[in-house]
Amino acid sequence: MNNHVTVLEIDGNALEHNLNYFKKKLNPETKILAVVKAFGYGSDSVKIAAFLQDKVDYFAVAYTHEGIALREADIKTPILVLHPQIQNLQSIVNYRLEPNLYNFKIFEAFLKLSDEAPLMNYPIHLKFNTGLNRLGFWHTDIPKIITTLKETNHVKVASIFSHLAASEDLEEQDFTINQINNFAYIAQQVYKHLGYEPMLHILNTSGIVNYAKAQFDMVRVGIGLYGFGNDDKETALLKNTHNLTSIISQIHIIKPGETVGYNRAFVAKRQSKTATIPVGHADGLSRRLGNKKGYVLINNQKAKIIGNVCMDMIMVDVTKIECNEGDQVIIFNTQDMLKNIADISETIVYETLTAISQRVKKMLKK
Ligand SMILES: *Cc1c(COP(=O)(O)O)cnc(C)c1O
């Protein structure tokens, strides 16, 4: 059991608020897929899925074992595996996961498996590349896909989808609209020849914000659920879901000239009071936050991180803060704090969230 005092609390109310915020931007019949890959953006995909399962239509994970973890926790909602990988296709079926098939290699491997089983109308998802050039069939692959599909009833296409390359960036509007139009054309071609109409989806969070008209049948919300919109104004309308706290392990009073931490990176100019906190770069705090770049909150006051961030700990300057060993420390509990950490770490909030390691204890508060 993980009884670490450094805890990431997932705010269920905030998750629900954020989900409803995006629902309001959509037609009532548009389905919602909640993206819970990478441990629910650095938290706990099982806890999040258990909380959201009666509020969304689908979940998506990146890899097969992430989907298996949800099934093993008794999550019954359909789960799209975005990058299933050929060696896992039998597990996909065993756990009733739904594979994204994005090229002929994996498509044919899955069809072979579906023939051998045999499966009946097993839900598959076809991804088309419309410009991200990451995963996906090309529109020129459609005739061969259709011919293959017409010969089998072992699989059924549950959805056709694509992914936008720059949905958050209005300077790339022409490119994005072109992607959406290409997708609509691909869907039309597939519909015409397939004989039934799978669901269509292309929008991620910022896609919903900027191109809600292209919501088709379903949208895939990730970062938005976790409290981040396209810009600060929108983020302010969302609620923060990830709150990381810890407690002070030890307080030291050090004399002028004494140093703190590895490489003696902090040198005390005056008598100082430091607090040691059990969270470090192995928990997801970038070393870039060291040497007074980052801070934590102790009793509502900013305590700067001094010296280098260690693997398992940080030391902060609490010379002017009334505090004791055992007091609570807030590493982040607002989107502003997270954004600040991401900025100092020279990255985006996606990375700051997903960097929170598995060692940190996770709790979901309803
Ligand atoms: C990660 C991912 C999403 C979610 O994106 P957000 O920007 O976090 O909403 C949606 N679709 C695909 C294919 C993804 O890989």
Side-chain angles (χ1 to χ4, degrees), residues 14-64:
L15 270 176
E16 195 167 354
H17 168 92
N18 298 339
L19 176 65
N20 290 333
Y21 173 87
F22 289 101
K23 274 188 179 170
K24 275 195 215 108
K25 291 186 179 284
L26 301 165
N27 302 326
E29 60 283 5
T30 301
K31 291 190 162 67
I32 310 263
L33 176 154
V35 181
V36 295
K37 62 191 177 189
F39 304 102
Y41 287 49
S43 61
D44 185 321
S45 60
V46 166
K47 288 187 172 68
I48 289 186
F51 180 74
L52 291 179
Q53 61 184 339
D54 55 354
K55 303 174 183 71
V56 301
D57 302 282
Y58 253 91
F59 290 116
V61 292
Y63 296 107
T64 302

Side-chain angles (χ1 to χ4, degrees), residues 251-262:
I251 288 177
H252 292 289
I253 307 290
I254 57 170
K255 293 194 202 91
E258 285 200 79
T259 63
V260 175
Y262 288 130

Side-chain angles (χ1 to χ4, degrees), residues 152-209:
T152 178
N153 57 4
H154 297 152
V155 299
K156 186 157 190 199
V157 184
S159 87
I160 301 166
F161 73 111
S162 189
H163 196 36
L164 297 173
S167 57
E168 75 287 359
D169 185 355
L170 287 174
E171 305 230 318
E172 295 288 0
Q173 197 166 23
D174 291 347
F175 183 87
T176 304
I177 289 171
N178 198 36
Q179 273 197 283
I180 293 167
N181 291 341
N182 284 342
F183 178 63
Y185 172 78
I186 288 164
Q188 194 197 351
Q189 292 306 303
V190 176
Y191 275 17
K192 202 159 82 188
H193 301 290
L194 192 63
Y196 58 93
E197 301 191 350
M199 285 192 297
L200 305 176
H201 47 110
I202 192 170
L203 299 183
N204 67 334
T205 300
S206 42
I208 300 169
V209 175

Side-chain angles (χ1 to χ4, degrees), residues 3 16 25 33 47 61 65 70 91 141 144 168 181 198 260 262 302 307 324 349 361:
N3 228 351
E16 195 167 354
K25 291 186 179 284
L33 176 154
K47 288 187 172 68
V61 292
H65 67 273
L70 297 185
S91 304
D141 296 329
K144 189 173 166 196
E168 75 287 359
N181 291 341
V260 175
Y262 288 130
K302 286 186 188 182
N324 296 299
V349 165
K361 182 179 175 172

Side-chain angles (χ1 to χ4, degrees), residues 35 37 41 82 127 134 163 204-205 220-223 350:
V35 181
K37 62 191 177 189
Y41 287 49
L82 294 164
K127 188 174 202 179
R134 194 170 68 176
H163 196 36
N204 67 334
T205 300
R220 305 187 301 267
V221 201
I223 197 79
Y350 288 83

Side-chain angles (χ1 to χ4, degrees), residues 32-288:
I32 310 263
L33 176 154
V35 181
V36 295
K37 62 191 177 189
F39 304 102
Y41 287 49
S43 61
D44 185 321
S45 60
V46 166
K47 288 187 172 68
I48 289 186
F51 180 74
L52 291 179
Q53 61 184 339
D54 55 354
K55 303 174 183 71
V56 301
D57 302 282
Y58 253 91
F59 290 116
V61 292
Y63 296 107
T64 302
H65 67 273
E66 298 179 299
I68 293 174
L70 297 185
R71 286 287 182 249
E72 284 183 335
D74 217 24
I75 302 294
K76 303 267 194 308
T77 313
I79 299 170
L80 165 58
V81 180
L82 294 164
H83 202 168
Q85 308 190 323
I86 287 180
Q87 71 275 20
N88 299 319
L89 293 180
Q90 187 59 54
S91 304
I92 289 274
V93 173
N94 295 347
Y95 287 90
R96 292 169 294 107
L97 302 169
E98 302 183 10
N100 164 27
L101 305 177
Y102 52 86
N103 67 5
F104 283 112
K105 192 169 160 74
I106 194 161
F107 180 65
E108 279 158 11
F110 195 77
L111 283 177
K112 182 159 175 279
L113 187 152
S114 77
D115 289 342
E116 284 163 7
L119 306 172
M120 196 62 190
N121 289 329
Y122 197 92
I124 59 168
H125 301 259
L126 299 179
K127 188 174 202 179
F128 283 89
N129 176 28
T130 53
L132 181 61
N133 291 323
R134 194 170 68 176
L135 293 180
F137 284 108
W138 290 78
H139 71 91
T140 46
D141 296 329
I142 294 174
K144 189 173 166 196
I145 295 170
I146 299 286
T147 311
T148 314
L149 286 174
K150 285 211 154 162
E151 286 164 2
T152 178
N153 57 4
H154 297 152
V155 299
K156 186 157 190 199
V157 184
S159 87
I160 301 166
F161 73 111
S162 189
H163 196 36
L164 297 173
S167 57
E168 75 287 359
D169 185 355
L170 287 174
E171 305 230 318
E172 295 288 0
Q173 197 166 23
D174 291 347
F175 183 87
T176 304
I177 289 171
N178 198 36
Q179 273 197 283
I180 293 167
N181 291 341
N182 284 342
F183 178 63
Y185 172 78
I186 288 164
Q188 194 197 351
Q189 292 306 303
V190 176
Y191 275 17
K192 202 159 82 188
H193 301 290
L194 192 63
Y196 58 93
E197 301 191 350
M199 285 192 297
L200 305 176
H201 47 110
I202 192 170
L203 299 183
N204 67 334
T205 300
S206 42
I208 300 169
V209 175
N210 286 336
Y211 305 94
K213 276 194 187 139
Q215 63 193 266
F216 296 100
D217 301 306
M218 185 158 81
V219 296
R220 305 187 301 267
V221 201
I223 197 79
L225 274 180
Y226 309 107
F228 290 86
N230 262 354
D231 52 36
D232 292 347
K233 223 172 97 197
E234 183 146 50
T235 295
L237 301 173
L238 297 167
K239 288 188 178 166
N240 192 49
T241 56
H242 286 36
N243 301 300
L244 185 63
T245 61
S246 190
I247 60 172
I248 297 175
S249 295
Q250 191 169 11
I251 288 177
H252 292 289
I253 307 290
I254 57 170
K255 293 194 202 91
E258 285 200 79
T259 63
V260 175
Y262 288 130
N263 313 105
R264 310 185 65 200
F266 174 82
V267 185
K269 291 202 187 75
R270 58 188 79 84
Q271 175 164 299
S272 302
K273 185 166 68 158
T274 70
T276 304
I277 300 156
V279 62
H281 62 75
D283 300 291
L285 287 190
S286 168
R287 283 185 89 249
R288 290 195 170 92

